[in-house]
Amino acid sequence: YEHRLLYVDDRHRRVLVRNDETNEEEYLEYDLLVGADGVRSVVRNGIQVNHRDFECRVDDIFATFKAVHVKLPPKVGPGTLTLLPNSMPNMNGIALPEKGGMICMSFGHNLNKPCDEELMSDDPKVVAKYVKEKFQAYALIDYEDFAEQWCNQSWNTTGQVHCNFYHSNKLNCLILGDAAHATSPSIGMGMNTALSDASCLNRLLDKHGDDAWDEVRPAFSQERVKEGQALSDLAYYLFSFDTKQQLRFLLEGAIRTAIWKRFPSLVYPDPQVLIGCGYKLSEVYAAAKSMGIIDAVHATNDPARREYWEKRWGMIQEKKTRGGISAKVLLSATLCAGLAFSMYVYQQMSSPTVLS
């Protein structure tokens, strides 16, 4: 504890660490290395350096958010997780239960759709008034406390991680938790998945034996990669950047769930319901895929994200005419005029000719 991991020395099976208090550095030898060192994992970097077939992608979640800890609202039961899509303009949220009659509420917006200026304010009175007016999912006990916490913090970002395996027999190591599959907090399953990693590892050791690490490590990857991939993909692709598309999915999910309650063998319920029922995330992913949600949201979110960064980096620019009208608008107007003219010509040619 109180040390920072800096480097994995693959040749000598040792790691370089730095004492947080003294800044002194030293090498520590290891027999087995378990990397639970977060989204910027040094252990994962060691795997990447030593395995050319190791595919690893670390992305931003394309959103910025804030989190506050407030008293449990009267209409929210203890231990209840609440999903709050579009609960304020351009803001998606999630509320996670805490001990002591508290709840952690996180709200964020996608980078291409900023929130209203009131939520950018440093004035708690402005924020409190706005949240009281716009947040209608349920009433909060203390809007002023919410606003004070909101204004006293900066906007947060986090990353998501995808890896195609979680181990290296060459390095005698494996990764788990955020080091293997960091994710957006949107479905509230990051910690649960990390705990499932630990439970799986314990079960595999019971099955193969405490000294059979050469068998345990690949078996761990075989079992957990699909869950980690499903975790990060569900967190990102269950929620469309397009509000109309997302509302349609919510409506379809409500209908599916109502039918499922009466005829469970006929249809899947909403994917969020499956998560709450304890299904494996890989099973939830397969269900969401079969419903067409994953592919449809891919087709919406991926181009929107790419277009945002293309414009942000100056790779593309929306061309303007001399009068200030965008080329896209001008092209649309030209096409409409051309269509109208074509219809007029067609009508004239198809009108009957009257001979005197």
Side-chain angles (χ1 to χ4, degrees):
Y1 294 101
E2 298 180 350
H3 284 72
R4 180 177 296 274
L5 179 62
L6 302 178
Y7 171 67
V8 177
D9 182 355
D10 56 290
R11 294 185 178 181
H12 300 96
R13 294 279 174 83
R14 59 181 185 171
V15 294
L16 178 64
V17 299
R18 177 186 296 150
N19 188 303
D20 289 339
E21 295 183 357
T22 65
N23 283 328
E24 293 181 356
E25 298 179 0
E26 62 176 322
Y27 276 103
L28 301 175
E29 296 182 353
Y30 71 85
D31 296 315
L32 170 70
L33 183 60
V34 177
D37 50 338
V39 62
R40 306 298 174 188
S41 171
V42 176
V43 178
R44 187 182 66 234
N45 292 345
I47 297 176
Q48 190 166 17
V49 168
N50 283 274
H51 294 272
R52 293 184 178 181
D53 59 339
F54 182 61
E55 295 182 5
C56 175
R57 190 175 81 247
V58 182
D59 300 320
D60 178 73
I61 63 170
F62 199 64
T64 183
F65 63 94
K66 291 187 178 186
V68 297
H69 304 270
V70 297
K71 295 180 181 179
L72 187 69
K75 291 188 177 181
V76 179
T80 301
L81 181 152
T82 310
L83 296 173
L84 303 164
N86 207 37
S87 50
M88 292 182 284
N90 288 344
M91 295 290 282
N92 295 312
I94 185 171
L96 301 173
E98 295 183 330
K99 294 182 178 179
M102 301 292 287
I103 192 170
C104 176
M105 304 183 74
S106 298
F107 294 94
H109 65 84
N110 294 327
L111 298 184
N112 63 335
K113 292 184 178 180
C115 63
D116 289 337
E117 292 183 1
E118 287 85 348
L119 289 179
M120 298 288 188
S121 173
D122 294 329
D123 186 345
K125 293 181 179 179
V126 172
V127 173
K129 182 176 182 296
Y130 178 87
V131 173
K132 191 171 184 178
E133 291 177 355
K134 300 295 184 179
F135 181 69
Q136 298 297 316
Y138 40 74
L140 304 181
I141 294 176
D142 192 340
Y143 289 93
E144 287 70 25
D145 178 43
F146 180 106
E148 287 286 348
Q149 294 184 51
W150 187 271
C151 293
N152 287 331
Q153 64 180 288
S154 58
W155 288 89
N156 300 302
T157 60
T158 188
Q160 53 186 351
V161 174
H162 294 79
C163 302
N164 63 331
F165 53 83
Y166 295 163
H167 76 285
S168 168
N169 279 354
K170 178 181 178 181
L171 296 180
N172 278 6
C173 76
L174 57 82
I175 54 175
L176 49 75
D178 280 355
H181 45 66
T183 185
S184 160
S186 59
I187 61 173
M189 292 297 292
M191 178 61 74
N192 286 345
T193 307
L195 292 173
S196 295
D197 288 345
S199 176
C200 173
L201 182 59
N202 182 66
R203 177 166 44 80
L204 290 172
L205 287 169
D206 288 341
K207 177 181 178 180
H208 295 280
D210 291 345
D211 296 324
W213 281 100
D214 286 347
E215 291 77 34
V216 168
R217 284 187 291 264
F220 178 80
S221 284
Q222 182 66 34
E223 186 165 334
R224 295 307 298 169
V225 166
K226 61 179 180 290
E227 302 303 326
Q229 295 274 5
L231 166 69
S232 49
D233 278 358
L234 286 171
Y236 194 76
Y237 290 112
L238 279 185
F239 303 96
S240 174
F241 292 172
D242 182 270
T243 303
K244 292 182 180 179
Q245 185 181 54
Q246 185 61 33
L247 289 175
R248 178 169 65 83
F249 288 146
L250 290 173
L251 178 60
E252 290 177 357
I255 295 172
R256 279 181 166 276
T257 302
I259 297 174
W260 171 76
K261 287 181 178 179
R262 291 181 175 273
F263 309 101
S265 62
L266 186 61
V267 297
Y268 283 118
D270 185 273
Q272 299 285 359
V273 174
L274 291 176
I275 294 174
C277 290
Y279 281 71
K280 290 183 177 180
L281 293 180
S282 57
E283 296 171 341
V284 179
Y285 180 90
K289 177 86 171 179
S290 70
M291 297 176 198
I293 296 174
I294 298 297
D295 290 342
V297 178
H298 260 290
T300 298
N301 289 7
D302 293 350
R305 180 178 183 135
R306 184 176 64 249
E307 182 180 4
Y308 171 84
W309 288 117
E310 286 173 342
K311 291 180 177 179
R312 177 71 180 272
W313 294 327
M315 297 169 67
I316 61 172
Q317 294 181 355
E318 191 170 11
K319 294 182 179 179
K320 300 278 186 176
T321 65
R322 291 184 179 180
I325 303 174
S326 69
K328 186 183 295 184
V329 173
L330 187 59
L331 177 60
S332 299
T334 302
L335 291 174
C336 290
L339 178 61
F341 179 73
S342 299
M343 292 295 294
Y344 172 77
V345 172
Y346 174 78
Q347 289 175 356
Q348 294 300 312
M349 293 180 64
S350 60
S351 299
T353 302
V354 180
L355 299 176
S356 56

